Amino acid sequence: MNKGSAAAVADSAIYEKLLSSIGSRDARVGIVGLGYVGLPLAVTATNAGFGVIGFDIDAQRVAKVNRGETVIKHIDGALLGDAIAKGKFEATADFARLAEVDAILICVPTPLTRHREPDLSFVVATARSVAGSLRAGQLVVLESTTYPGTTDEVLRPILEEGGLKSGQDFFLAFSPEREDPGNPDFGTSTIPKVVGGDGAHALELANTLYGALVTKTVPVSSAATAEAVKLTENIFRAVNIALVNELKVVYEAMGIDVWEVIDAAKTKPFGFMPFYPGPGLGGHCIPIDPFYLTWKAREYEISTRFVELAGEINTAMPQRVVSQLARAMDSRLKRGLNGARILVLGIAYKKNVDDMRESPSLRLIELLEERGAVTAYHDPHIAQIPPTREHAPLTGRRSVDLIAQEVAAYDAVLIATDHDTVDYALVVDNAKLVVDTRNACARRDLPNTNVVKA
């Protein structure tokens, strides 16, 4: 038997053993990053019958998870606690234990640099940790959103530095996360999962694993294709949100309410999908993903003008909201922003969650304070602002109580996030001025004499 055929036999044996282990759910799953993607995935995997080890660099988070504490509000703490009690799940900060698992799912952040270029430092650091313990017969899947080519061009070379080869000794795939925190209709297990692999064996292994976790898998031809799917989904949303943000400006000049226009337009049963304006984009995906594609496109000397224009429109929205607030204060209260007390309602990037990644509220507070305003915030889901890379001076600020006399003491209330549990009637009844970026007051048929839409 020549060397080539021996390698093929070894490859087949390794693949068949891992496939059988996944199929019988004897495989142990390691999940790197116990955040808004990794922790729900860990719960889903334990519910499916797999033993799971969660890895995170934050030792405090690891300790809380191991105690069964809910570190993310929309995660069912009882399910997590039950998995821990049954010995199906544990968390650790010891990355050497990656050698104990059969499948490694990487769910780490992929932010932007200050120059709006991809920051893959978390992916690279994780890849090096995995490479240090990588053994034959493991499946490695990247879930972090990134540009097409990352799995093949960045992750694979790092993993192969120790001599093991993708497709022969270990198997590499990409399956983009599709989490929507706080969505009451869809969770990790009910959202179809796109899967692309480095070769047919990697695809089959990843597809089998995710097939045990979710209701449907969608295999595609390559990891790069799967990476492109994720970007396309979120660029679609970013572009359409930019469109309605721009239409809002145009219709506002004409004295037309864009919210009324959208509500009427969405009655058409075909050819229209409603998107809504806001104070800026938030969350880990929509404000970031378009820039991953535009950066990669430059490598091919292609200008993504349409996508970049959408990014410019959405990025400019916080500045526009502050300008509208200033005009409303000037016309209605006869005073400027300098020295004014402003209450920002909502620090989370979307309603009914405790997730403030890339929240436009943080930028709104900074812009207001740059113009001399004194700001406070109220958010029923976020008691204190945690450390952030881009807004470090806001760290530690605490949510204030929403009390009638306190609301009346502010010069204006800026609704940035429309949490359902906020008492908007109390706000409207007591505030001197309400600037509503989410149409929260109109949706509740509240008096609009002191409400300005922005």
Side-chain angles (χ1 to χ4, degrees):
M1 182 181 292
N2 62 42
K3 292 183 179 179
S5 59
V9 170
D11 169 33
S12 178
I14 291 171
Y15 159 72
E16 293 291 348
K17 181 179 178 181
L18 182 55
L19 183 63
S20 175
S21 178
I22 292 172
S24 64
R25 310 200 184 185
D26 292 326
R28 205 169 189 191
V29 177
I31 296 175
V32 183
L34 297 178
Y36 288 92
V37 175
L39 196 55
L41 186 60
V43 172
T44 300
T46 58
N47 287 344
F50 291 95
V52 177
I53 301 178
F55 297 83
D56 202 286
I57 60 173
D58 186 340
Q60 289 186 341
R61 174 172 286 250
V62 166
K64 288 181 179 179
V65 169
N66 280 330
R67 290 195 298 267
E69 296 181 15
T70 303
V71 295
I72 299 175
K73 287 187 177 179
H74 67 277
I75 299 299
D76 190 333
L79 289 175
L80 185 61
D82 184 59
I84 293 170
K86 291 179 178 178
K88 299 293 290 183
F89 175 77
E90 63 175 309
T92 182
D94 181 5
F95 282 72
R97 295 189 62 191
L98 284 165
E100 299 176 21
V101 301
D102 303 293
I104 300 169
L105 313 183
I106 300 173
C107 308
V108 297
T110 46
L112 295 170
T113 68
R114 288 186 176 273
H115 301 291
R116 296 200 173 277
E117 295 182 344
D119 178 0
L120 295 182
S121 58
F122 294 99
V123 171
V124 170
T126 301
R128 297 203 182 283
S129 294
V130 172
S133 302
L134 189 66
R135 60 171 172 78
Q138 286 183 307
L139 169 67
V140 181
V141 185
L142 180 62
E143 288 214 1
S144 307
T145 303
T146 186
Y147 58 81
T150 302
T151 303
D152 293 333
E153 299 165 11
V154 178
L155 193 57
R156 184 174 63 185
I158 295 173
L159 297 180
E160 290 185 335
E161 285 176 357
L164 299 178
K165 297 299 180 184
S166 174
Q168 176 177 309
D169 305 300
F170 70 94
F171 305 93
L172 183 60
F174 181 84
S175 181
E177 59 88 4
R178 279 176 160 175
E179 286 295 317
D180 187 16
N183 189 322
D185 300 317
F186 295 99
T188 304
S189 64
T190 58
I191 300 171
K193 206 80 164 68
V194 174
V195 183
D198 180 23
H201 282 172
L203 175 60
E204 180 64 19
L205 289 165
N207 196 52
T208 301
L209 175 60
Y210 285 111
L213 305 184
V214 303
T215 55
K216 180 182 180 181
T217 60
V218 184
V220 295
S221 60
S222 67
T225 299
E227 290 161 339
V229 169
K230 174 63 173 178
L231 292 188
T232 301
E233 292 170 359
N234 286 319
I235 289 171
F236 172 80
R237 294 176 66 191
V239 167
N240 279 281
I241 291 170
L243 173 62
V244 295
N245 276 331
E246 188 166 67
L247 288 176
K248 174 185 172 298
V249 175
V250 174
Y251 292 150
E252 186 178 80
M254 299 176 179
I256 298 170
D257 185 343
V258 70
W259 298 92
E260 183 182 1
V261 171
I262 295 170
D263 283 345
K266 72 181 183 182
T267 62
K268 184 179 180 181
F270 54 88
F272 182 83
M273 180 181 295
F275 289 84
Y276 298 94
L281 293 182
H284 178 64
C285 292
I286 304 178
I288 293 174
D289 292 4
F291 295 102
Y292 269 70
L293 183 65
T294 58
W295 178 85
K296 187 64 175 178
R298 289 197 290 272
E299 180 181 319
Y300 298 87
E301 298 183 351
I302 297 174
S303 175
T304 51
R305 290 176 293 174
F306 198 71
V307 177
E308 291 179 26
L309 176 60
E312 291 172 12
I313 292 171
N314 290 326
T315 301
M317 290 312 294
Q319 188 72 255
R320 176 173 172 77
V321 167
V322 171
S323 296
Q324 288 176 298
L325 171 59
R327 285 197 298 271
M329 290 184 63
D330 178 60
S331 63
R332 296 192 177 217
L333 305 181
K334 309 304 180 187
R335 69 156 302 161
L337 276 174
N338 192 14
R341 297 185 66 217
I342 310 297
L343 176 63
V344 177
L345 276 188
I347 206 78
Y349 85 88
K350 63 178 287 191
K351 66 190 300 183
N352 304 333
V353 301
D354 61 346
D355 189 348
M356 49 167 286
R357 292 173 297 171
E358 307 296 329
S359 173
S361 297
L362 300 173
R363 182 59 181 152
L364 288 169
I365 290 174
E366 289 179 338
L367 291 171
L368 288 167
E369 294 185 351
E370 286 172 8
R371 296 185 61 166
V374 179
T375 67
Y377 84 92
H378 170 78
D379 193 305
H381 299 281
I382 302 176
Q384 183 174 338
I385 298 178
T388 59
R389 284 164 50 113
E390 299 296 328
H391 310 279
L394 302 182
T395 301
R397 295 200 186 183
R398 300 192 66 85
S399 175
V400 301
D401 294 332
L402 200 65
I403 302 171
Q405 58 266 34
E406 291 294 329
V407 171
Y410 290 99
D411 294 293
V413 176
L414 173 60
I415 300 175
T417 313
D418 52 338
H419 293 305
D420 288 338
T421 56
V422 170
D423 189 344
Y424 294 99
L426 179 148
V427 173
V428 172
D429 288 345
N430 293 278
K432 299 181 183 73
L433 172 67
V434 178
V435 176
D436 188 354
T437 71
R438 300 289 190 177
N439 204 39
C441 298
R443 289 203 314 271
R444 292 166 175 82
D445 294 321
L446 295 172
N448 63 1
T449 54
N450 60 337
V451 178
V452 174
K453 294 185 181 183

